[in-house]
Every structure is written in structure tokens, then in C-alpha cells.
Amino acid sequence: MEKLLEVKKLKTYFYKNQEVIPAVDGISFSVGKGETVAIVGESGSGKSITALSILGCIPTPSGRIEGGEIIFEGKNLFEKSKKEMRKIRGNEISMIFQEPMTSLNPVYTVGRQLSEVFELHQGTKRKEGFKKAIELLRIVGIPSPEERAKQYPHQMSGGMRQRIIIAMALACRPKLIIADEPTTALDVTVQAQILDLIKNLKEEIGTSMLLITHDLGVVAEMAEEVIVMYAGKVVESARVKDIFKDPKHPYTRGLLASMPSLNNANKRLNTIEGTVPKPTEFPKGCRFSPRCEFAKKICKDLEPPLCDKGDRSLSCWIETKEYTEEVKNEYSA
Ligand code: ADP
Ligand code: MG
């Protein structure tokens, strides 16, 4: 599949109070044209910072890209000027955030905000923009779009606001949509409707999508590829069907075991003990080792590399066993 986005060894660090915070620590993945790739992991694993790095929106001065490349349509985004990046955001890459209220302006009507996207990015005139806005509200399933266009965000429900955010993200027919927990703030029924909407619209305009979520149910529903992140690293990545059929990394297995399903809805869920360590307190060796029931000495001493295993990439000593003879001798005891 032709690649649209390639993230190569991306490192995004924060610097605060003399501390180094390696929020994203050398991750690589790619998104093919028309493909949906999910990034999954518990809160604090570096998912949102990955998204913001791609968009060139890392909070400064505390945040810095410390390494790697982001190749979009064959060009390194880190070599683009601020002006070029602004053009890319909104025209070619757009973002759907978790909390609709923060991405909508409370003092403008939704019609005005949508038409502004057309005015700004496509040079459409105000009146024409408003017409396009109404059309878009219709497409995202908002009833009586003519009336709704004249309303303000606070006059709408959470689900409706999220539909408007989606409309804004799609307004310019972007090549890539980055959706960061797009349905987390919504109740389950609305969540399913919004996911359906995103999926259908995405297929209609042939956009690629990077979907960030902590919910494997959403991954199963939406994505073809999945990247499992833990503590700023990729621990496993593969086709979604392979991850669900045969998860290899103990962290991936833990995530799957803690997923509610029809079979275990009534049972207590197996959650992974403990929490993601703070980036200033990442342990030596495998960052998951303090929570891993299979961890051996090597896991606690040496960081496992991300290995290509054919059907997946995997970063785990127990599963890969690809360490050198020297390491093997030292740790076989
Ligand atoms: P996720 O989206 O997976 O929940 P984030 O990407 O938001 O996680 O954050 C990863 C880590 O980066 C956090 O645990 C936090 O320590 C650090 N981080 C995020 N934003 C900032 C910031 N503005 N300043 C300092 N550290 C930050
Ligand atoms: Mg996040």
C-alpha cells in the first residue's frame, strides 16, 4: 500500500523544572493511503503528544522534537516553515479532538464557524460558505440544518457538537484525519453513531485516518492496523485481526483481557495491575516490566528492541528472544 504518512524514530521531550520528560521516545509507524491506523494505550502513554508532533503543535517552550522524521506525502514536515504547516493543517491534515467544546468557538454560530473554514482555506465567499456549511451539517446527520446553522455551540448536545467538529474536520476533504479520542466524552449510543459517521464519511472521501483511543472496542470497529503504545514506546504493532487473534506482548494481552465483551460482561474484568509510570520515572529495561507477570532479569536490565516478526513488530524479550550470544550467556543463568 502506498504510504501517506511515515513517522520515523520520533522523539518528543518536555523539559520542566530541570527534569527531562521523554513523552514520546523513538516511535515509528506509517499510515497508508485510505487506511485507518489506530494508536491504543492507557492514558499517559504518549498518544496525544504523537498527534500534536505530527501537526507541529507541541506546546513550546517546554516541548521539543528531539529526533526523528515525519514524512507526509514524501516530504519531511519538520523542514516546513510555520506558514507552510498552517496551510497543511486544515487543508491536508485535520484533527478531531476529544472535547468538542474546546474546539468550537462559543461566540460564533456553528454555520459561521463552518463557513469560515471554507473562506479561510478555499477562498469561498461568505454567502457561498454558509450554503456549503448547511450542506455539510446535512451530511453529518444534523436535522434541520438551516436552523441549526444559526445556533451557537452551547445550544446543542455533546453528540451534535461532535458531529459539527467532524464536519469542520472534513470540510476541506483532508488527506489525513487525526482523531484523538473522538468519542470518549460521549455516551455509548451516541458514541456508536459518531463512529459510524466517521467511518462512512472517511470511506466516501477516501481519507486516511490516524485514530487515537484507549478503547480496543473502537479499534476493532474502525481500524485495519493497530499500534500499541506504552510509556512513550511502541510495544507491538500489527494488523488488527492478528492482534485480536494472537496478541503477543503481555501488555497487549492485558489490554485485551480488560476489554468488556459479550462473553465476559458479567464477570469482573482483568485489569492490568498498576499504572503507566510517569515519564520522569520510567524504569530501566522494559518499561512494562514492573507490571509484567512474566518479567525476567533481562527485562528489568535491558530495553528490548522493536523487532520485525513478519506479521508484526514486537518489543518483548520473552517473545522475541533475539538477543545476542553475549547477552544470552549473561542472562541465561
Ligand atoms: P496520552 O494521550 O497517551 O494519554 P499524552 O501524549 O497526552 O498521553 O502524554 C504523555 C506524557 O507526556 C504524559 O504522561 C505527560 O507526562 C507528558 N506531557 C504531556 N504534555 C505535557 C506538557 N505540556 N508538559 C509536560 N509534560 C507533558
Ligand atoms: Mg491523550
Side-chain angles (χ1 to χ4, degrees):
M1 185 186 298
E2 205 182 334
K3 282 174 185 165
L4 179 70
L5 176 80
E6 278 179 274
V7 173
K8 295 182 179 172
K9 299 190 172 146
L10 173 69
K11 285 190 181 182
T12 309
Y13 287 12
F14 289 92
Y15 298 87
K16 266 191 187 156
N17 313 324
Q18 256 90 59
E19 276 181 330
V20 182
I21 305 169
V24 173
D25 208 8
I27 69 163
S28 302
F29 63 90
S30 63
V31 181
K33 288 203 169 145
E35 188 182 37
T36 298
V37 175
I39 302 184
V40 70
E42 287 161 290
S43 176
S45 47
K47 306 183 299 295
S48 294
I49 298 302
T50 301
L52 293 175
S53 304
I54 297 167
L55 290 161
C57 295
I58 290 301
T60 50
S62 63
R64 273 214 303 267
I65 306 280
E66 286 297 6
E69 286 176 287
I70 291 179
I71 313 290
F72 180 71
E73 295 208 293
K75 305 236 170 59
N76 189 354
L77 293 187
F78 293 157
E79 285 162 9
K80 301 268 180 202
S81 68
K82 280 205 169 116
K83 197 173 156 203
E84 288 172 311
M85 274 314 288
R86 262 200 304 275
K87 217 166 159 196
I88 288 172
R89 286 193 298 268
N91 274 322
E92 288 167 54
I93 306 179
S94 56
M95 179 96 188
I96 302 173
F97 288 102
Q98 176 173 355
E99 205 353 274
M101 235 12 216
T102 57
S103 12
L104 288 172
N105 191 329
V107 304
Y108 293 116
T109 64
V110 299
R112 168 83 196 275
Q113 289 180 61
L114 273 172
S115 73
E116 212 157 66
V117 178
F118 294 116
E119 287 165 39
L120 229 75
H121 294 285
Q122 294 175 2
T124 312
K125 295 263 183 303
R126 173 70 54 88
K127 217 171 148 198
E128 181 61 27
F130 211 81
K131 260 196 212 150
K132 282 190 171 187
I134 290 169
E135 187 45 38
L136 206 51
L137 290 177
R138 196 188 316 278
I139 290 171
V140 296
I142 300 220
S144 350
E146 289 87 359
E147 279 88 78
R148 287 295 185 177
K150 293 178 208 143
Q151 291 187 331
Y152 293 87
H154 72 267
Q155 293 173 290
M156 300 181 173
S157 67
M160 218 176 276
R161 283 198 292 263
Q162 195 60 320
R163 283 175 191 266
I164 288 163
I165 292 297
I166 291 165
M168 285 179 85
L170 294 171
C172 312
R173 303 195 155 235
K175 294 179 179 133
L176 176 68
I177 297 172
I178 302 178
D180 191 354
E181 308 268 6
T183 57
T184 303
L186 305 171
D187 73 51
V188 182
T189 337
V190 182
Q191 182 168 349
Q193 291 168 359
I194 297 285
L195 288 176
D196 256 3
L197 172 70
I198 295 178
K199 206 168 159 180
N200 292 339
L201 292 175
K202 196 210 132 249
E203 271 161 28
E204 224 173 278
I205 61 175
T207 312
S208 307
M209 180 155 71
L210 183 62
L211 175 67
I212 294 172
T213 176
H214 63 273
D215 183 344
L216 274 168
V218 172
V219 174
E221 187 69 29
M222 305 286 288
E224 287 113 49
E225 287 278 330
V226 57
I227 296 147
V228 183
M229 266 187 92
Y230 185 79
K233 298 258 179 195
V234 174
V235 294
E236 185 166 11
S237 72
R239 307 294 296 168
V240 170
K241 62 174 172 43
D242 291 328
I243 288 274
F244 276 82
K245 198 172 63 195
D246 186 19
K248 296 273 196 219
H249 199 286
Y251 180 61
T252 314
R253 289 194 207 143
L255 285 180
L256 274 166
S258 59
M259 198 181 146
S261 74
L262 289 177
N263 305 332
N264 63 13
N266 299 319
K267 286 188 236 151
R268 207 178 73 85
L269 294 176
N270 298 306
T271 48
I272 311 167
E273 297 246 347
T275 50
V276 182
K278 280 196 227 139
T280 47
E281 292 161 9
F282 284 157
K284 200 168 92 168
C286 171
R287 290 177 182 177
F288 184 61
S289 63
R291 296 172 75 188
C292 180
E293 57 178 312
F294 309 105
K296 295 191 286 201
K297 186 174 185 312
I298 187 172
C299 308
K300 300 191 185 287
D301 287 350
L302 269 187
E303 191 157 341
L306 187 66
C307 297
D308 182 355
K309 304 294 288 175
D311 71 338
R312 73 192 67 208
S313 299
L314 186 65
S315 169
C316 176
W317 287 124
I318 295 156
E319 282 290 344
T320 53
K321 300 183 183 74
E322 279 175 351
Y323 39 106
T324 61
E325 283 307 312
E326 191 189 352
V327 173
K328 226 179 233 172
N329 291 337
E330 190 180 335
Y331 288 95
S332 59

